[in-house]
């Protein structure tokens, strides 16, 4: 097993796989409301960055012996009763909030709390820890929460453009000094200096690297980040920014249909190849159409194309390891 497949836990002395189910979302509509239950364990530990540096994280995890950053995505239907149980395994207080939906309030060290609410506000939301803001969120206590319109399997909101598959991408900017301050119980006092940039907790690898093509590590090959479809398919991409920096999201081969920003439907659906992602819990909802790239000659129907951010710092790791940053692949089958 590769070193980066595992997390070293600072409090429990355990090791466990880091990946949770985050990106590729499956959904079957129902003619009725259901009760959806989810449990998250607040845990902490270390994970290795692409340059080999171990960085401290906290996460909404799938068990008390794992560390998942971001927390596994949840998708529900408008009108569902949602029960989210949070088990705080740490010695500090935390919370779980979805703006406009539930707020757990303070969950003390060692405490378990369940919040119950009716799902509304179809669209894309972030769940996060609002305590010690923004530091708890930045060190990993965040994830994606999606609400489907009642009875719909292929709309972001009632009447939106339609899709056939959907993904959740959660991006983050990582300053290891700030992360270590949080570990020590201190409020960061230095200027925010992000050294690593992740999409669903992963980064790219380049051809020839030992971890290139490993779906557990390489965001270009992980099925939760990698867009993959055939001509005629359409993918909804729910993009959430847990970090501090604004970003320019650039899709190759085709323009995306820009449906919503910060949870609000746009009055007009624009087709853009580059879209600005707001910082500090900003969000975008776009549809990527698998169409013959209009500028290709001769025309192509299969192949691989990049999605990367246009702000150059996001394409590095450790301040200079180029092409080991925030990017993924768009695959035409």
């Amino acid at each position: 097993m590769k070193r980066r497949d595992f997390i070293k836990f600072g409090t429990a002395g355990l090791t466990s796989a880091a990946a949770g189910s985050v990106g590729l979302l499956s959904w079957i509509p129902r003619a009725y409301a259901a009760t959806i239950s989810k449990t998250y364990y607040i845990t902490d530990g270390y994970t290795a960055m692409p340059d080999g540096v171990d960085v401290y994280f906290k996460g909404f995890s799938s068990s008390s012996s794992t560390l998942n950053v971001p927390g596994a995505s949840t998708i529900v239907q408008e009108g569902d009763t949602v029960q989210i149980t949070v088990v705080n395994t740490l010695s500090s207080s935390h919370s779980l909030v979805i703006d406009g939906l539930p707020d757990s309030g303070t969950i003390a060290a060692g405490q378990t709390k369940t919040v119950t609410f009716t799902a509304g506000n179809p669209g894309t939301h972030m769940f996060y820890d609002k305590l010690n803001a923004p530091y708890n969120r930045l060190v990993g206590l965040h994830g994606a929460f999606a609400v489907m319109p009642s009875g719909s399997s292929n709309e972001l909101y009632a009447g939106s453009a339609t899709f056939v598959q959907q993904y959740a991408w959660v991006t983050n900017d990582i300053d290891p000094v700030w992360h270590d301050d949080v570990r020590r119980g201190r409020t960061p006092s230095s200027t925010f200096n992000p050294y690593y940039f992740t999409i669903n907790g992963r980064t790219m690898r380049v051809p020839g690297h030992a971890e290139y093509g490993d779906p557990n590590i390489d965001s270009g090959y992980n099925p939760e980040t990698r867009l993959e479809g055939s001509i005629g398919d359409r993918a909804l991409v729910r993009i959430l920014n847990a970090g501090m920096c604004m970003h320019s999201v650039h899709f190759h081969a085709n323009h995306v249909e820009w449906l919503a920003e910060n949870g609000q439907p746009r009055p007009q659906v624009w087709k853009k190849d580059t879209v600005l992602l707001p910082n500090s819990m900003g969000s975008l909802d776009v549809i990527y159409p698998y169409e013959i790239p209009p500028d290709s000659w001769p025309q192509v129907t299969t192949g691989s194309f990049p999605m990367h951010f246009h702000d150059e710092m996001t394409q590095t790791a450790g301040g200079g390891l180029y092409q080991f940053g925030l990017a993924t692949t768009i695959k035409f089958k």
Side-chain angles (χ1 to χ4, degrees):
M1 299 296 287
K2 295 183 178 67
R3 177 170 176 264
R4 288 175 178 82
D5 289 344
F6 290 90
I7 296 297
K8 301 198 300 292
F9 274 72
T11 55
L14 302 173
T15 61
S16 181
S21 178
V22 179
L24 183 59
L25 305 176
S26 62
W27 182 251
I28 299 174
R30 297 179 255 103
Y32 58 91
T35 298
I36 308 298
S37 298
K38 186 79 174 182
T39 299
Y40 291 109
Y41 297 80
I42 298 178
T43 62
D44 71 345
Y46 292 83
T47 189
M49 296 292 100
D51 58 355
V53 174
D54 288 329
V55 176
Y56 176 78
F57 287 88
K58 297 183 181 184
F60 289 111
S61 303
S62 60
S63 75
S64 60
S65 60
T66 57
L67 175 62
N68 302 132
V69 180
S73 300
T74 296
I75 183 168
V76 302
Q77 182 168 287
E78 183 181 16
D80 283 349
T81 298
V82 183
Q83 297 176 335
I84 299 179
T85 297
V86 183
V87 182
N88 183 5
T89 72
L90 303 183
S91 58
S92 52
S93 295
H94 293 284
S95 71
L96 185 147
V97 175
I98 304 173
D99 290 335
L101 291 170
D103 183 339
S104 70
T106 298
I107 306 172
Q111 184 181 13
T112 297
K113 185 175 286 189
T114 298
V115 293
T116 302
F117 61 98
T118 301
N121 300 335
T124 305
H125 309 270
M126 181 179 291
F127 63 88
Y128 66 100
D129 180 0
K130 74 174 185 179
L131 300 187
N132 192 29
Y135 309 114
N136 287 346
R137 182 190 84 236
L138 292 174
V139 300
L141 287 169
H142 57 253
F145 183 85
V147 181
M148 294 292 295
S150 180
S152 177
S153 63
N154 62 356
E155 296 173 301
L156 173 66
Y157 50 83
S160 79
T162 59
F163 54 87
V164 298
Q165 55 180 277
Q166 57 177 309
Y167 298 78
W169 289 350
V170 184
T171 71
N172 197 19
D173 319 316
I174 297 161
D175 180 341
V177 174
W178 278 28
H179 282 232
D180 193 58
D181 282 340
V182 172
R183 179 184 69 85
R184 297 171 182 271
R186 303 189 304 215
T187 299
S189 59
S190 59
T191 300
F192 183 67
N193 185 21
Y195 255 52
Y196 309 102
F197 302 87
T198 59
I199 177 170
N200 291 350
R202 296 178 173 87
T203 56
M204 283 285 281
R205 298 296 184 272
V206 298
H209 190 273
E211 294 165 345
Y212 174 71
D214 185 338
N216 295 310
I217 299 169
D218 187 345
S219 59
Y221 282 84
N222 183 268
E224 297 174 351
T225 54
R226 174 186 176 99
L227 302 185
E228 190 164 325
S230 302
I231 296 295
D233 288 341
R234 292 164 58 80
L236 172 68
V237 189
R238 305 172 182 268
I239 311 173
L240 290 159
N241 185 359
M244 296 279 283
C245 305
M246 292 187 294
H247 297 298
S248 178
V249 189
H250 183 213
F251 295 84
H252 281 238
N254 281 303
H255 287 39
V256 295
E257 300 166 14
W258 185 10
L259 303 186
E261 179 179 8
N262 290 340
Q264 299 300 313
R266 291 180 49 80
Q268 292 181 317
V269 176
W270 288 358
K271 291 188 175 182
K272 302 275 289 181
D273 65 341
T274 305
V275 188
L276 183 67
L277 175 62
N279 61 342
S280 300
M281 299 189 295
S283 68
L284 295 172
D285 295 282
V286 302
I287 288 177
Y288 187 89
Y290 295 90
E291 300 171 349
I292 296 174
D295 295 328
S296 65
W297 188 259
Q299 291 186 334
V300 297
T301 58
T302 61
S304 297
F305 304 89
M307 185 293 301
H308 60 117
F309 282 13
H310 262 189
D311 31 330
E312 185 175 353
M313 65 180 181
T314 64
Q315 303 309 294
T316 66
L321 191 60
Y322 184 59
Q323 291 186 323
F324 285 75
L326 196 165
T328 191
T329 302
I330 302 166
K331 173 70 173 179
F332 284 63
K333 295 186 293 185

